[in-house]
Amino acid sequence: MKTKFYRLSILFTIFFTVLVSCNKEDVAPVEPTPLPEPEKVSPDYEANRYLRNEYMDLYYYWADDVKGANAKLDLKKYDIYDAFDAMLYKDDRWSWMESGESFRATESGEISGTWGVSWVQREDYVEAGDYSVYVCFILPESPLAKKGVTRGAKLTGIKGLKIPEDGFHTQEQIDYFNEHLYDSPQSFEFKLTSGEKISFEMTLPKYVSTNFILSEQVFDGDDFPGLDGAVGYFNLYQFESAFIEDVDAAFSRFKEAGIKKMIVDLRYNGGGSSDVCQRLISYLAPAGLNGKPYVTRTHNNLLSSLNETQYIGEGEEKSRRYRDISIGLDEIYFIMDHGSASSSEVLYNGLRPYMKDKIHMVGRQTYGKPNGMYVLIYPGDNESYEKYNSGDYSLAKWVFYPICFFNKNSAGESIPYGPTAPSGFLPDNERPDDILHDFGVEEDRIKACLTHIVSGSYPEVPVTKRTKAQGNGLRISSLEPEWKTNPNYGSYIVR
């Protein structure tokens, strides 16, 4: 039995070996199943969830319209900026957000990476063939201002580039300008509005500190023949809470000068904080309007309890005990442009029902932004908001400005708006921006206001003498104004 079993085992082994050997080349090797890659999760995922669940689902003016779609967003795939954009209503061209760092810089008035100058080409005069670069406005603490550079100065050269008298002739010149304008140290050459030519070398400052009041002046008959009283001129670049004391000081000086007519220049003002708007309208409104409404804010259905009306005067809204701070004006001229947005428009719109034919507008159609935002921060815990409300913004990583309410004045009129800007108020007297003169009696729009005060009519719009049949088309895209390049330009912010 043992021998037979042994032989059978041998035969089975030989048979199995032969079978396996015969089929070895016919069987494909089995590839191992790869392990699934770990799901990539955006580092902003928690912030995205907070933004949607705590802010957009509650405060956003169009919350009902977007809530369903926003619930389906895979927030693990978005960075915070893309997530914010993905959550907006299709017709919303105003909501925006920024980093905490950017927010803190604006709040402090310390702007980094800049010479403190807004550069521009003569967009109203391109047919004249002038493609030079001019100073559109200059912040009061700009290092260039300390060298004598003012609005209207022509940039004629930077280090390595001499700009021809009539501006840029080649794309290479423009490319060099864009690439090297902020080199440090930098050499500048200017032709000033007086015709004087100056040149100097300068290091880019760590930051430029400013108060956003571009100009504050009082004109009388010695400045402009025919004026029988003092006329105030106030040019504000931005409605910023940090500088409300500077606004107070300026209007204290206007009141002391006894002005009855005022030119309020908001041609570059994209809006800002509602508290500055409140303070300004309380100064500008004619006497006797203390406690009168100027704007009503309407929210979404969830937050209808927050609907409120703001009143002229300084004081506590809830008690409606207001202090009359009017400086007693009887006529106001607003200088506005396509960049005049939001808070600027709220201010103008709030005065219209009360001043009627005593309020005027010179310039061009405004931006058209009838709504406003709350400042919503992330992290949004109690500690962050306690610090924020005390003026300490150090914990804010992201700051959101979604549209939260819609504005109307005391007559129920909203700011005109449309799908694109400009779409706001139309001027009584339309005239281009005269960037060849500094802010003063020779600047065309200011001169037009003063002429109307003296004579009751506006002067003719200056005609540009054409030196070329056609311009060369060399516009510098990096110098386009923000209202053109930022799709969410303009803000009316309630803190």
Side-chain angles (χ1 to χ4, degrees), residues 88-113:
L88 299 181
Y89 181 57
K90 61 181 178 64
D91 292 335
D92 181 0
R93 64 175 176 89
W94 304 282
S95 295
W96 59 292
M97 64 165 289
E98 64 180 331
S99 68
E101 182 181 11
S102 172
F103 174 77
R104 286 186 286 275
T106 302
E107 288 294 310
S108 67
E110 296 179 352
I111 307 171
S112 61

PDB file of all heavy atoms in Angstrom, residues 88-113:
ATOM      1  N   LEU A  88     -22.245  83.947  -4.839  1.00  0.00           N
ATOM      2  CA  LEU A  88     -22.958  85.192  -5.119  1.00  0.00           C
ATOM      3  C   LEU A  88     -24.123  84.994  -6.083  1.00  0.00           C
ATOM      4  O   LEU A  88     -24.098  84.138  -6.961  1.00  0.00           O
ATOM      5  CB  LEU A  88     -21.990  86.228  -5.698  1.00  0.00           C
ATOM      6  CG  LEU A  88     -20.816  86.633  -4.804  1.00  0.00           C
ATOM      7  CD1 LEU A  88     -19.958  87.674  -5.503  1.00  0.00           C
ATOM      8  CD2 LEU A  88     -21.298  87.152  -3.459  1.00  0.00           C
ATOM      9  N   TYR A  89     -25.123  85.822  -5.926  1.00  0.00           N
ATOM     10  CA  TYR A  89     -26.271  85.870  -6.833  1.00  0.00           C
ATOM     11  C   TYR A  89     -25.815  86.341  -8.207  1.00  0.00           C
ATOM     12  O   TYR A  89     -24.901  87.165  -8.332  1.00  0.00           O
ATOM     13  CB  TYR A  89     -27.308  86.830  -6.244  1.00  0.00           C
ATOM     14  CG  TYR A  89     -28.580  86.982  -7.036  1.00  0.00           C
ATOM     15  CD1 TYR A  89     -29.386  85.885  -7.342  1.00  0.00           C
ATOM     16  CD2 TYR A  89     -28.993  88.239  -7.475  1.00  0.00           C
ATOM     17  CE1 TYR A  89     -30.563  86.036  -8.060  1.00  0.00           C
ATOM     18  CE2 TYR A  89     -30.169  88.407  -8.193  1.00  0.00           C
ATOM     19  CZ  TYR A  89     -30.942  87.296  -8.481  1.00  0.00           C
ATOM     20  OH  TYR A  89     -32.098  87.452  -9.199  1.00  0.00           O
ATOM     21  N   LYS A  90     -26.441  85.851  -9.252  1.00  0.00           N
ATOM     22  CA  LYS A  90     -25.997  86.111 -10.625  1.00  0.00           C
ATOM     23  C   LYS A  90     -25.971  87.593 -10.979  1.00  0.00           C
ATOM     24  O   LYS A  90     -25.169  88.013 -11.821  1.00  0.00           O
ATOM     25  CB  LYS A  90     -26.882  85.349 -11.616  1.00  0.00           C
ATOM     26  CG  LYS A  90     -28.355  85.734 -11.590  1.00  0.00           C
ATOM     27  CD  LYS A  90     -29.165  84.920 -12.585  1.00  0.00           C
ATOM     28  CE  LYS A  90     -30.648  85.252 -12.535  1.00  0.00           C
ATOM     29  NZ  LYS A  90     -30.944  86.643 -12.928  1.00  0.00           N
ATOM     30  N   ASP A  91     -26.837  88.406 -10.397  1.00  0.00           N
ATOM     31  CA  ASP A  91     -26.888  89.832 -10.732  1.00  0.00           C
ATOM     32  C   ASP A  91     -26.110  90.708  -9.753  1.00  0.00           C
ATOM     33  O   ASP A  91     -26.169  91.936  -9.833  1.00  0.00           O
ATOM     34  CB  ASP A  91     -28.348  90.312 -10.771  1.00  0.00           C
ATOM     35  CG  ASP A  91     -29.115  89.699 -11.926  1.00  0.00           C
ATOM     36  OD1 ASP A  91     -28.480  89.318 -12.924  1.00  0.00           O
ATOM     37  OD2 ASP A  91     -30.357  89.596 -11.831  1.00  0.00           O
ATOM     38  N   ASP A  92     -25.397  90.081  -8.836  1.00  0.00           N
ATOM     39  CA  ASP A  92     -24.638  90.835  -7.836  1.00  0.00           C
ATOM     40  C   ASP A  92     -23.291  91.239  -8.429  1.00  0.00           C
ATOM     41  O   ASP A  92     -22.408  90.419  -8.619  1.00  0.00           O
ATOM     42  CB  ASP A  92     -24.438  89.962  -6.594  1.00  0.00           C
ATOM     43  CG  ASP A  92     -23.670  90.686  -5.493  1.00  0.00           C
ATOM     44  OD1 ASP A  92     -23.299  91.857  -5.682  1.00  0.00           O
ATOM     45  OD2 ASP A  92     -23.441  90.058  -4.437  1.00  0.00           O
ATOM     46  N   ARG A  93     -23.116  92.536  -8.691  1.00  0.00           N
ATOM     47  CA  ARG A  93     -21.838  93.040  -9.194  1.00  0.00           C
ATOM     48  C   ARG A  93     -21.132  93.902  -8.149  1.00  0.00           C
ATOM     49  O   ARG A  93     -20.207  94.649  -8.472  1.00  0.00           O
ATOM     50  CB  ARG A  93     -22.030  93.840 -10.489  1.00  0.00           C
ATOM     51  CG  ARG A  93     -22.850  95.123 -10.368  1.00  0.00           C
ATOM     52  CD  ARG A  93     -22.858  95.862 -11.709  1.00  0.00           C
ATOM     53  NE  ARG A  93     -23.701  97.046 -11.720  1.00  0.00           N
ATOM     54  CZ  ARG A  93     -23.296  98.277 -11.371  1.00  0.00           C
ATOM     55  NH1 ARG A  93     -22.067  98.462 -10.964  1.00  0.00           N
ATOM     56  NH2 ARG A  93     -24.128  99.303 -11.421  1.00  0.00           N
ATOM     57  N   TRP A  94     -21.532  93.756  -6.870  1.00  0.00           N
ATOM     58  CA  TRP A  94     -21.012  94.672  -5.856  1.00  0.00           C
ATOM     59  C   TRP A  94     -20.299  93.989  -4.681  1.00  0.00           C
ATOM     60  O   TRP A  94     -19.397  94.574  -4.101  1.00  0.00           O
ATOM     61  CB  TRP A  94     -22.155  95.525  -5.288  1.00  0.00           C
ATOM     62  CG  TRP A  94     -22.908  96.287  -6.318  1.00  0.00           C
ATOM     63  CD1 TRP A  94     -22.529  97.452  -6.938  1.00  0.00           C
ATOM     64  CD2 TRP A  94     -24.186  95.967  -6.882  1.00  0.00           C
ATOM     65  NE1 TRP A  94     -23.488  97.868  -7.827  1.00  0.00           N
ATOM     66  CE2 TRP A  94     -24.524  96.979  -7.816  1.00  0.00           C
ATOM     67  CE3 TRP A  94     -25.101  94.936  -6.685  1.00  0.00           C
ATOM     68  CZ2 TRP A  94     -25.711  96.975  -8.539  1.00  0.00           C
ATOM     69  CZ3 TRP A  94     -26.288  94.928  -7.410  1.00  0.00           C
ATOM     70  CH2 TRP A  94     -26.581  95.944  -8.331  1.00  0.00           C
ATOM     71  N   SER A  95     -20.712  92.782  -4.291  1.00  0.00           N
ATOM     72  CA  SER A  95     -20.121  92.147  -3.107  1.00  0.00           C
ATOM     73  C   SER A  95     -18.643  91.851  -3.330  1.00  0.00           C
ATOM     74  O   SER A  95     -18.226  91.538  -4.445  1.00  0.00           O
ATOM     75  CB  SER A  95     -20.857  90.838  -2.793  1.00  0.00           C
ATOM     76  OG  SER A  95     -22.196  91.075  -2.426  1.00  0.00           O
ATOM     77  N   TRP A  96     -17.858  91.898  -2.251  1.00  0.00           N
ATOM     78  CA  TRP A  96     -16.441  91.609  -2.378  1.00  0.00           C
ATOM     79  C   TRP A  96     -15.874  91.199  -1.022  1.00  0.00           C
ATOM     80  O   TRP A  96     -16.580  91.217  -0.006  1.00  0.00           O
ATOM     81  CB  TRP A  96     -15.674  92.796  -2.948  1.00  0.00           C
ATOM     82  CG  TRP A  96     -15.744  94.065  -2.168  1.00  0.00           C
ATOM     83  CD1 TRP A  96     -16.842  94.857  -1.989  1.00  0.00           C
ATOM     84  CD2 TRP A  96     -14.683  94.704  -1.461  1.00  0.00           C
ATOM     85  NE1 TRP A  96     -16.525  95.949  -1.234  1.00  0.00           N
ATOM     86  CE2 TRP A  96     -15.204  95.886  -0.881  1.00  0.00           C
ATOM     87  CE3 TRP A  96     -13.339  94.408  -1.267  1.00  0.00           C
ATOM     88  CZ2 TRP A  96     -14.440  96.756  -0.124  1.00  0.00           C
ATOM     89  CZ3 TRP A  96     -12.565  95.277  -0.510  1.00  0.00           C
ATOM     90  CH2 TRP A  96     -13.123  96.448   0.049  1.00  0.00           C
ATOM     91  N   MET A  97     -14.604  90.800  -1.015  1.00  0.00           N
ATOM     92  CA  MET A  97     -13.922  90.405   0.206  1.00  0.00           C
ATOM     93  C   MET A  97     -12.452  90.789   0.086  1.00  0.00           C
ATOM     94  O   MET A  97     -11.974  91.131  -0.996  1.00  0.00           O
ATOM     95  CB  MET A  97     -14.058  88.902   0.445  1.00  0.00           C
ATOM     96  CG  MET A  97     -13.399  88.052  -0.621  1.00  0.00           C
ATOM     97  SD  MET A  97     -13.175  86.329  -0.124  1.00  0.00           S
ATOM     98  CE  MET A  97     -11.856  86.512   1.102  1.00  0.00           C
ATOM     99  N   GLU A  98     -11.754  90.748   1.197  1.00  0.00           N
ATOM    100  CA  GLU A  98     -10.321  91.039   1.191  1.00  0.00           C
ATOM    101  C   GLU A  98      -9.658  90.315   2.353  1.00  0.00           C
ATOM    102  O   GLU A  98     -10.325  89.792   3.266  1.00  0.00           O
ATOM    103  CB  GLU A  98     -10.067  92.533   1.290  1.00  0.00           C
ATOM    104  CG  GLU A  98     -10.521  93.176   2.589  1.00  0.00           C
ATOM    105  CD  GLU A  98     -10.243  94.667   2.635  1.00  0.00           C
ATOM    106  OE1 GLU A  98      -9.272  95.120   2.000  1.00  0.00           O
ATOM    107  OE2 GLU A  98     -11.015  95.389   3.315  1.00  0.00           O
ATOM    108  N   SER A  99      -8.347  90.270   2.339  1.00  0.00           N
ATOM    109  CA  SER A  99      -7.602  89.659   3.429  1.00  0.00           C
ATOM    110  C   SER A  99      -7.607  90.580   4.635  1.00  0.00           C
ATOM    111  O   SER A  99      -7.811  91.794   4.519  1.00  0.00           O
ATOM    112  CB  SER A  99      -6.161  89.389   2.999  1.00  0.00           C
ATOM    113  OG  SER A  99      -5.465  90.617   2.814  1.00  0.00           O
ATOM    114  N   GLY A 100      -7.374  90.002   5.798  1.00  0.00           N
ATOM    115  CA  GLY A 100      -7.275  90.812   7.003  1.00  0.00           C
ATOM    116  C   GLY A 100      -6.147  91.812   6.922  1.00  0.00           C
ATOM    117  O   GLY A 100      -6.257  92.943   7.408  1.00  0.00           O
ATOM    118  N   GLU A 101      -5.057  91.414   6.273  1.00  0.00           N
ATOM    119  CA  GLU A 101      -3.915  92.309   6.113  1.00  0.00           C
ATOM    120  C   GLU A 101      -4.292  93.545   5.310  1.00  0.00           C
ATOM    121  O   GLU A 101      -3.951  94.678   5.673  1.00  0.00           O
ATOM    122  CB  GLU A 101      -2.777  91.557   5.434  1.00  0.00           C
ATOM    123  CG  GLU A 101      -1.514  92.374   5.248  1.00  0.00           C
ATOM    124  CD  GLU A 101      -0.405  91.601   4.551  1.00  0.00           C
ATOM    125  OE1 GLU A 101      -0.684  90.500   4.031  1.00  0.00           O
ATOM    126  OE2 GLU A 101       0.725  92.095   4.523  1.00  0.00           O
ATOM    127  N   SER A 102      -5.004  93.345   4.196  1.00  0.00           N
ATOM    128  CA  SER A 102      -5.447  94.464   3.373  1.00  0.00           C
ATOM    129  C   SER A 102      -6.399  95.360   4.152  1.00  0.00           C
ATOM    130  O   SER A 102      -6.317  96.599   4.089  1.00  0.00           O
ATOM    131  CB  SER A 102      -6.116  93.932   2.107  1.00  0.00           C
ATOM    132  OG  SER A 102      -6.711  94.974   1.368  1.00  0.00           O
ATOM    133  N   PHE A 103      -7.305  94.751   4.899  1.00  0.00           N
ATOM    134  CA  PHE A 103      -8.273  95.503   5.702  1.00  0.00           C
ATOM    135  C   PHE A 103      -7.561  96.371   6.741  1.00  0.00           C
ATOM    136  O   PHE A 103      -7.879  97.550   6.904  1.00  0.00           O
ATOM    137  CB  PHE A 103      -9.226  94.522   6.384  1.00  0.00           C
ATOM    138  CG  PHE A 103     -10.188  95.160   7.344  1.00  0.00           C
ATOM    139  CD1 PHE A 103     -11.295  95.849   6.882  1.00  0.00           C
ATOM    140  CD2 PHE A 103      -9.984  95.066   8.715  1.00  0.00           C
ATOM    141  CE1 PHE A 103     -12.185  96.441   7.769  1.00  0.00           C
ATOM    142  CE2 PHE A 103     -10.861  95.647   9.604  1.00  0.00           C
ATOM    143  CZ  PHE A 103     -11.968  96.336   9.135  1.00  0.00           C
ATOM    144  N   ARG A 104      -6.585  95.790   7.428  1.00  0.00           N
ATOM    145  CA  ARG A 104      -5.875  96.542   8.464  1.00  0.00           C
ATOM    146  C   ARG A 104      -5.108  97.718   7.876  1.00  0.00           C
ATOM    147  O   ARG A 104      -5.022  98.792   8.484  1.00  0.00           O
ATOM    148  CB  ARG A 104      -4.936  95.604   9.222  1.00  0.00           C
ATOM    149  CG  ARG A 104      -5.655  94.665  10.185  1.00  0.00           C
ATOM    150  CD  ARG A 104      -4.680  93.849  11.011  1.00  0.00           C
ATOM    151  NE  ARG A 104      -4.059  92.794  10.238  1.00  0.00           N
ATOM    152  CZ  ARG A 104      -4.581  91.592  10.043  1.00  0.00           C
ATOM    153  NH1 ARG A 104      -5.773  91.293  10.541  1.00  0.00           N
ATOM    154  NH2 ARG A 104      -3.945  90.670   9.340  1.00  0.00           N
ATOM    155  N   ALA A 105      -4.559  97.535   6.666  1.00  0.00           N
ATOM    156  CA  ALA A 105      -3.825  98.624   6.026  1.00  0.00           C
ATOM    157  C   ALA A 105      -4.746  99.796   5.718  1.00  0.00           C
ATOM    158  O   ALA A 105      -4.396 100.964   5.933  1.00  0.00           O
ATOM    159  CB  ALA A 105      -3.161  98.121   4.749  1.00  0.00           C
ATOM    160  N   THR A 106      -5.953  99.494   5.227  1.00  0.00           N
ATOM    161  CA  THR A 106      -6.908 100.557   4.902  1.00  0.00           C
ATOM    162  C   THR A 106      -7.376 101.267   6.158  1.00  0.00           C
ATOM    163  O   THR A 106      -7.478 102.491   6.200  1.00  0.00           O
ATOM    164  CB  THR A 106      -8.118  99.971   4.154  1.00  0.00           C
ATOM    165  OG1 THR A 106      -7.656  99.324   2.968  1.00  0.00           O
ATOM    166  CG2 THR A 106      -9.091 101.072   3.777  1.00  0.00           C
ATOM    167  N   GLU A 107      -7.673 100.475   7.213  1.00  0.00           N
ATOM    168  CA  GLU A 107      -8.161 101.065   8.453  1.00  0.00           C
ATOM    169  C   GLU A 107      -7.135 102.004   9.074  1.00  0.00           C
ATOM    170  O   GLU A 107      -7.483 103.025   9.653  1.00  0.00           O
ATOM    171  CB  GLU A 107      -8.513  99.954   9.447  1.00  0.00           C
ATOM    172  CG  GLU A 107      -9.772  99.182   9.102  1.00  0.00           C
ATOM    173  CD  GLU A 107     -11.004 100.045   9.198  1.00  0.00           C
ATOM    174  OE1 GLU A 107     -11.204 100.718  10.220  1.00  0.00           O
ATOM    175  OE2 GLU A 107     -11.780 100.064   8.215  1.00  0.00           O
ATOM    176  N   SER A 108      -5.879 101.661   8.956  1.00  0.00           N
ATOM    177  CA  SER A 108      -4.833 102.479   9.560  1.00  0.00           C
ATOM    178  C   SER A 108      -4.432 103.654   8.683  1.00  0.00           C
ATOM    179  O   SER A 108      -3.778 104.586   9.138  1.00  0.00           O
ATOM    180  CB  SER A 108      -3.591 101.621   9.837  1.00  0.00           C
ATOM    181  OG  SER A 108      -2.999 101.196   8.625  1.00  0.00           O
ATOM    182  N   GLY A 109      -4.820 103.593   7.389  1.00  0.00           N
ATOM    183  CA  GLY A 109      -4.392 104.627   6.457  1.00  0.00           C
ATOM    184  C   GLY A 109      -2.970 104.457   6.010  1.00  0.00           C
ATOM    185  O   GLY A 109      -2.393 105.358   5.402  1.00  0.00           O
ATOM    186  N   GLU A 110      -2.372 103.317   6.302  1.00  0.00           N
ATOM    187  CA  GLU A 110      -0.997 103.050   5.910  1.00  0.00           C
ATOM    188  C   GLU A 110      -1.009 102.119   4.701  1.00  0.00           C
ATOM    189  O   GLU A 110      -1.262 100.924   4.833  1.00  0.00           O
ATOM    190  CB  GLU A 110      -0.216 102.446   7.073  1.00  0.00           C
ATOM    191  CG  GLU A 110      -0.090 103.417   8.245  1.00  0.00           C
ATOM    192  CD  GLU A 110       0.661 102.807   9.415  1.00  0.00           C
ATOM    193  OE1 GLU A 110       0.947 101.597   9.377  1.00  0.00           O
ATOM    194  OE2 GLU A 110       0.955 103.555  10.369  1.00  0.00           O
ATOM    195  N   ILE A 111      -0.762 102.663   3.517  1.00  0.00           N
ATOM    196  CA  ILE A 111      -0.858 101.922   2.271  1.00  0.00           C
ATOM    197  C   ILE A 111       0.542 101.566   1.804  1.00  0.00           C
ATOM    198  O   ILE A 111       1.388 102.446   1.633  1.00  0.00           O
ATOM    199  CB  ILE A 111      -1.583 102.763   1.200  1.00  0.00           C
ATOM    200  CG1 ILE A 111      -2.925 103.259   1.740  1.00  0.00           C
ATOM    201  CG2 ILE A 111      -1.789 101.958  -0.066  1.00  0.00           C
ATOM    202  CD1 ILE A 111      -3.611 104.257   0.841  1.00  0.00           C
ATOM    203  N   SER A 112       0.810 100.281   1.610  1.00  0.00           N
ATOM    204  CA  SER A 112       2.151  99.840   1.250  1.00  0.00           C
ATOM    205  C   SER A 112       2.263  99.605  -0.248  1.00  0.00           C
ATOM    206  O   SER A 112       1.264  99.473  -0.956  1.00  0.00           O
ATOM    207  CB  SER A 112       2.499  98.551   2.010  1.00  0.00           C
ATOM    208  OG  SER A 112       1.600  97.516   1.677  1.00  0.00           O
ATOM    209  N   GLY A 113       3.513  99.551  -0.730  1.00  0.00           N
ATOM    210  CA  GLY A 113       3.770  99.246  -2.133  1.00  0.00           C
ATOM    211  C   GLY A 113       3.323 100.323  -3.096  1.00  0.00           C
ATOM    212  O   GLY A 113       2.917 100.038  -4.222  1.00  0.00           O
TER     213      GLY A 113
END
